């Protein structure tokens, strides 16, 4: 089980003028499901990198503040140790795959071997993930022969197969069809029950809100607000923040004024019953 | 009109891409293409673009079989936005990319103001001198959309333009789609985003297992529960709520607001 923490964390890429993350304070408790939302360029991916230790291990730049895993600063861990505990699914599926393997089955196995799983364990894990994501018709294919959605599913598979304690997913559903999204939802829901710490960066918020314990709104590198889904959107509605609202909330607010977010059909219908037709 | 007859394509490794797809797309209409991952949507689109040469079937554009036309020849009639924008970007700045598209315009008057208009409406003005690879994927898609606006073809085809876009990007795209509709363009778009389709697209084609399993108006697709559920698609929020609350089908915000005006 694992807790992640950023305190007074700021980061500027080498070559960029401004800080891309500014004074971030964030605690992601063990077993907590966190959703990070914000506009294009807000710094979501950079925040993901910071939580995974890709910053500063891979990307150089100026860093202030601390990153901690289970109360110990990242510097006390080797990169290999962090890799094993924290799984990261990249925004671009091509970044995820090694591309040195000629079939998807090998790609999935390679992912396991990389973190040191034994052959038997690897086989078992690959089999489970193939079943979970319904990949059996694809496993003997070469990654270069896939549709973009299939590629994204496989990229996701290479991380899920590791079953890490912390899972960071950077826009994993952008190319996925509704069925595959549903499968991912179900799996994340199971992982959450097992106590995994999950961080999801998404624009498709509606598909996952049900699972979210902690919502983080990022704006221009700073945390605009964080808290439970209800609290954050209630505050946002009350001060009329121009942000992405859950789709039912956005739809209902076109005909009536809301003081709390609407997240499901039942609540929506209750509100609609009370709507007086207007002219 | 684009008339597509018995179009089939299989990849060189024997993999089926699309199988026997026929559809007629009238000029100045909008068509959304939906279907599961790997069903053949991008393959279909790439056949229309001429990137892939279908082994069987024909594509007839304004009574001319365009199967034999090259990508460049087709691009006089059809503007494209790929699912992976990097495949399409090759200039060293965003502005050059837009200028290159405008170069092919017959009417070379007001080019300067057109460059500005396009950059502005694609929210790219402040990024104009950046390399196309140095901006986000959303912005890369807007570069391609900007190029298509610049080329001003009669038909524009987009493969999952909204995927990975934030809600502001989607709103921006919505404006452009509405503008293209006003200009009487034919718009073809692949997407999983039924809320976006519902609001802006008249017709829908569903591809499953490489074949067309439905074509018709989007409204009709919403009326028959069995249609959308074949791809595990759910009714868009607006349609679902209007049916549940008032037993009427709304697919656009305008209809939705009208619905609540009635007494
Ligand atoms: N390697 C890099 N070097 C310099 N600047 C970078 C680098 N990567 C990202 N940036 C800049 O940092 C800012 C935040 O980028 P980031 O990718 O974290 O945003 P994001 O919220 O993930 O956006 P998106 O929704 O497009 O994925 C942007 O202004 C971007 O241009
Ligand atoms: N370059 C290729 N070589 C061989 N097979 C391919 C190639 N590209 C795609 N395929 C296969 O052709 C079929 C159709 O792929 P296509 O890319 O058209 O799907 P799609 O409907 O666009 O899916 P997605 O929603 O994931 O983008 C899939 O089974 C895919 O694996
Ligand atoms: Mg990102
Ligand atoms: Mg595709």
């Amino acid at each position: 089980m694992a807790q992640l923490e950023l305190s007074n964390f700021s980061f500027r890429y080498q070559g960029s003028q401004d800080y891309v993350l500014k004074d971030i304070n964030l605690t992601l408790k063990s077993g907590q499901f966190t959703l990070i939302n914000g506009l294009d360029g807000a710094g979501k991916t950079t925040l993901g990198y910071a939580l995974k230790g890709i910053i500063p291990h891979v990307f150089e730049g100026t860093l202030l503040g601390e990153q901690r895993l289970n109360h110990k600063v990242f510097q006390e861990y080797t990169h290999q140790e962090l890799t094993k505990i924290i799984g990261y699914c990249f925004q671009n599926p091509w970044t995820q795959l090694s591309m040195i393997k000629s079939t998807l089955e090998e790609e999935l196995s390679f992912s396991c071997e990389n973190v040191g799983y034994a052959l038997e364990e690897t086989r078992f894990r690959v089999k489970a993930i193939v079943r979970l994501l319904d990949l059996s018709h694809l496993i003997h294919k070469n990654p270069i022969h896939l549709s973009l959605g299939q590629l994204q599913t496989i990229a996701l598979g290479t991380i899920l197969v590791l079953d890490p304690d912390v899972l960071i997913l950077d826009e994993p559903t952008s190319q996925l069809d509704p069925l595959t999204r549903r499968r991912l939802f179900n799996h994340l829901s199971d992982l959450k029950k097992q106590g995994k710490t999950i961080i999801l960066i998404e624009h498709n918020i509606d598909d996952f809100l049900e699972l979210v314990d902690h919502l983080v709104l990022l704006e221009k590198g700073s945390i605009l607000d964080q808290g439970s889904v209800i609290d954050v959107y209630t505050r946002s509605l009350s001060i009329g923040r121009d942000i992405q609202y859950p789709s039912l909330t956005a739809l209902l607010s076109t005909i009536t004024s809301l003081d709390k977010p609407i997240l499901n059909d039942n609540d929506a219908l209750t509100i609609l019953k009370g709507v007086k037709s207007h002219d | 009109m684009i008339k597509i007859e018995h179009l089939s394509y299989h990849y060189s490794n024997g993999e089926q891409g699309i199988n026997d797809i026929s559809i007629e797309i009238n000029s100045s209409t909008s068509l959304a293409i939906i279907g599961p991952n790997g069903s053949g949507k991008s393959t279909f689109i790439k056949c229309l673009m001429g990137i892939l040469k279908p082994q069987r079937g024909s594509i007839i554009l304004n009574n001319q079989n365009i199967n034999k036309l090259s990508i460049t020849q087709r691009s006089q009639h059809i503007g494209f936005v790929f699912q992976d924008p990097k495949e399409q970007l090759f200039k060293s700045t965003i502005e050059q990319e837009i200028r290159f598209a405008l170069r092919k315009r017959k009417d070379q008057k007001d080019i300067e103001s057109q460059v500005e208009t396009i950059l502005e409406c694609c929210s790219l003005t402040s990024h104009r001198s950046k390399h196309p690879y140095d901006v986000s994927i959303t912005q890369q898609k807007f570069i391609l959309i900007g190029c298509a606006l610049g080329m001003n073809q009669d038909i524009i085809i987009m493969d999952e333009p909204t995927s990975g876009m934030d809600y502001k990007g989607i709103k921006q795209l919505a404006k452009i789609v509405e503008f293209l509709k006003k200009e009487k363009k034919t718009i073809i778009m692949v997407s999983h985003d039924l809320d976006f389709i519902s609001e802006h697209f008249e017709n829908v084609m569903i591809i499953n297992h490489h074949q067309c399993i439905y074509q018709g108006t989007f409204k009709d697709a919403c009326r028959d529960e069995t249609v959308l559920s074949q791809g595990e698609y759910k009714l868009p929020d607006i349609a679902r709520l209007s049916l549940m609350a008032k037993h009427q089908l709304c697919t656009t915000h305008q209809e939705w607001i009208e619905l609540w005006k009635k007494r």
Side-chain angles (χ1 to χ4, degrees):
Chain A
M1 298 303 102
Q3 166 167 327
L4 274 176
E5 211 178 326
L6 295 180
S7 39
N8 306 111
F9 187 87
S10 300
F11 182 76
R12 184 176 68 189
Y13 287 100
Q14 206 163 47
S16 61
Q17 292 181 337
D18 298 324
Y19 278 86
V20 169
L21 292 178
K22 298 164 197 157
D23 200 26
I24 303 285
N25 287 292
L26 189 59
T27 304
L28 309 176
K29 294 195 197 93
S30 185
Q32 184 175 287
F33 190 114
T34 303
L35 176 69
I36 299 173
N37 183 236
L39 293 178
D40 183 27
K44 303 181 297 297
T45 296
T46 309
L47 182 58
Y49 287 172
L51 290 167
K52 156 84 178 159
I54 296 176
I55 286 170
H57 278 291
V58 180
F59 284 106
E60 292 179 14
T62 317
L63 181 158
L64 307 171
E66 274 169 3
Q67 299 148 283
R68 285 199 201 84
L69 171 64
N70 296 331
H71 310 289
K72 285 199 296 186
V73 293
F74 274 22
Q75 285 77 358
E76 291 183 42
Y77 297 88
T78 65
H79 196 210
Q80 179 78 7
E81 281 169 332
L82 286 177
T83 304
K84 200 156 179 175
I85 301 172
I86 309 171
Y88 193 95
C89 187
F90 287 93
Q91 188 165 1
N92 180 351
W94 289 111
T95 317
Q96 193 76 46
L97 302 176
S98 75
M99 299 314 288
I100 54 170
K101 297 291 170 184
S102 59
T103 74
L104 296 170
E105 193 168 31
E106 290 170 28
E107 189 71 57
L108 289 170
S109 306
F110 183 66
S111 184
C112 291
E113 288 156 20
N114 259 341
V115 296
Y117 286 121
L119 198 63
E120 205 49 36
E121 173 81 17
T122 296
R123 250 193 229 134
F124 175 77
R125 283 171 179 264
V126 170
K127 221 169 152 183
I129 215 69
V130 164
R131 201 176 325 112
L132 183 86
L133 294 173
D134 189 29
L135 297 172
S136 53
H137 61 297
L138 297 178
I139 51 172
H140 300 298
K141 282 197 178 186
N142 190 312
I144 60 170
H145 291 155
L146 294 181
S147 77
L148 217 52
Q150 290 171 331
L151 193 74
Q152 192 170 37
T153 311
I154 293 291
L156 200 51
T158 61
I159 292 305
L160 296 180
V161 74
L162 302 175
D163 197 23
D165 284 343
V166 183
L167 197 57
I168 305 175
L169 306 174
D170 194 353
E171 298 193 32
T173 71
S174 62
Q175 310 289 341
L176 299 186
D177 63 27
L179 178 61
T180 316
R181 278 185 204 178
R182 192 75 210 160
R183 286 198 181 111
L184 178 64
F185 173 91
N186 290 338
H187 185 57
L188 292 181
S189 165
D190 285 347
L191 292 178
K192 182 180 158 172
K193 282 182 203 128
Q194 293 166 26
K196 307 280 185 186
T197 309
I198 301 168
I199 296 119
L200 178 67
I201 299 169
E202 259 300 345
H203 294 300
N204 299 322
I205 56 176
D206 296 292
D207 288 342
F208 297 93
L209 278 180
E210 208 180 311
L211 296 177
V212 176
D213 304 305
H214 193 74
L215 172 66
V216 177
L217 298 183
L218 205 60
E219 187 183 73
K220 294 183 183 144
S222 302
I223 293 182
L224 178 66
D225 202 349
Q226 60 176 320
S228 74
V229 171
I230 300 281
D231 288 353
V232 169
Y233 288 128
T234 303
R235 275 196 289 275
S236 300
L237 285 167
S238 75
I239 55 173
R241 266 187 200 134
D242 182 16
I243 55 162
Q244 179 185 7
Y245 288 97
S247 70
L248 286 177
T249 306
L251 183 56
L252 288 187
S253 61
T254 60
I255 52 168
T256 184
S257 72
L258 298 173
D259 51 17
K260 62 178 178 35
I262 303 303
L263 305 173
N264 59 56
D265 285 2
N266 281 341
D267 291 353
L269 287 173
T270 310
I271 294 278
L272 286 174
K273 279 205 190 94
V275 171
K276 293 269 182 306
S277 295
H278 54 276
D279 12 62
Chain B
M1 186 176 80
I2 316 172
K3 195 168 174 185
I4 292 150
E5 288 181 320
H6 305 296
L7 207 64
S8 294
Y9 181 85
H10 53 82
Y11 288 91
S12 54
N13 65 347
E15 194 78 43
Q16 186 85 59
I18 50 171
N19 182 11
D20 197 22
I21 293 186
S22 301
I23 185 170
E24 286 181 13
I25 305 163
N26 285 326
S27 297
S28 312
T29 58
S30 51
L31 173 74
I33 302 175
I34 64 175
N37 293 139
S39 57
K41 304 180 296 299
S42 295
T43 308
F44 178 72
I45 294 293
K46 286 178 182 167
C47 289
L48 294 189
M49 296 178 189
I51 300 169
L52 300 176
K53 300 267 170 249
Q55 288 90 1
R56 282 191 31 227
S58 55
I59 304 167
I60 299 177
L61 176 64
N62 306 329
N63 300 318
Q64 188 193 3
N65 190 337
I66 64 163
N67 256 5
K68 302 222 163 56
L69 297 188
S70 70
I71 304 180
T72 328
Q73 287 167 320
R74 282 181 209 211
S75 69
Q76 289 173 357
H77 307 284
I78 313 178
F80 307 115
V81 179
F82 287 16
Q83 192 169 5
D84 186 353
K86 282 204 174 55
E87 290 179 41
Q88 247 177 311
L89 295 164
F90 56 98
K91 291 283 169 189
S92 56
T93 72
I94 292 174
E95 182 173 339
Q96 281 173 22
E97 205 79 59
I98 303 290
R99 281 184 188 277
F100 186 76
L102 281 165
R103 227 184 48 170
K104 300 200 177 163
R105 258 207 180 171
K106 287 190 198 86
D107 178 11
Q108 286 291 314
K109 269 190 306 184
D110 305 326
I111 286 292
E112 291 311 310
S113 75
Q114 299 228 22
V115 172
E116 299 310 317
T117 311
I118 290 173
L119 287 171
E120 195 58 39
C121 99
C122 295
S123 308
L124 292 169
T125 312
S126 59
H127 305 289
R128 61 197 304 158
S129 12
K130 287 190 184 159
H131 193 280
Y133 278 30
D134 287 342
V135 295
S136 69
I137 298 175
T138 297
Q139 287 160 341
Q140 289 176 352
K141 287 186 178 172
F142 275 108
I143 302 174
L144 297 181
I145 292 165
C147 290
L149 289 173
M151 306 259 289
N152 194 26
Q153 300 104 328
D154 290 332
I155 302 165
I156 173 159
I157 304 183
M158 300 181 273
D159 196 349
E160 302 210 23
T162 61
S163 71
M165 267 190 192
D166 62 36
Y167 78 107
K168 289 209 165 152
I170 294 178
K171 272 191 191 160
Q172 189 86 11
L173 181 69
K175 275 193 206 150
I176 294 174
V177 168
E178 287 305 318
F179 167 78
L180 291 170
K181 277 161 66 176
K182 247 195 238 122
E183 298 277 296
K184 301 278 176 240
K185 306 289 185 193
T186 306
I187 311 167
I188 302 172
M189 179 188 75
V190 175
S191 176
H192 295 296
D193 186 346
L194 289 203
D195 293 319
F196 190 83
I197 293 172
S198 176
E199 187 72 30
H200 305 288
F201 286 74
E202 210 177 320
N203 301 307
V204 64
M205 166 160 87
I206 307 178
I207 300 185
N208 203 357
H209 299 298
H210 320 290
Q211 288 183 309
C212 168
I213 58 162
Y214 176 85
Q215 47 181 294
T217 65
F218 186 73
K219 274 213 156 72
D220 283 342
C222 291
R223 284 194 186 102
D224 182 351
E225 272 177 33
T226 58
V227 172
L228 291 178
S229 61
Q230 288 182 62
E232 300 278 330
Y233 287 93
K234 285 193 315 190
L235 278 181
D237 288 336
I238 216 163
R240 203 177 62 247
L241 282 189
S242 58
L243 283 170
M244 284 196 297
K246 293 248 183 175
H247 306 288
Q248 282 192 48
L249 175 68
C250 297
T251 52
T252 65
H253 271 77
Q254 201 182 341
E255 290 171 354
W256 168 256
I257 288 169
E258 283 296 316
L259 181 72
W260 296 99
K261 269 188 198 167
K262 282 186 199 144
R263 287 179 191 269

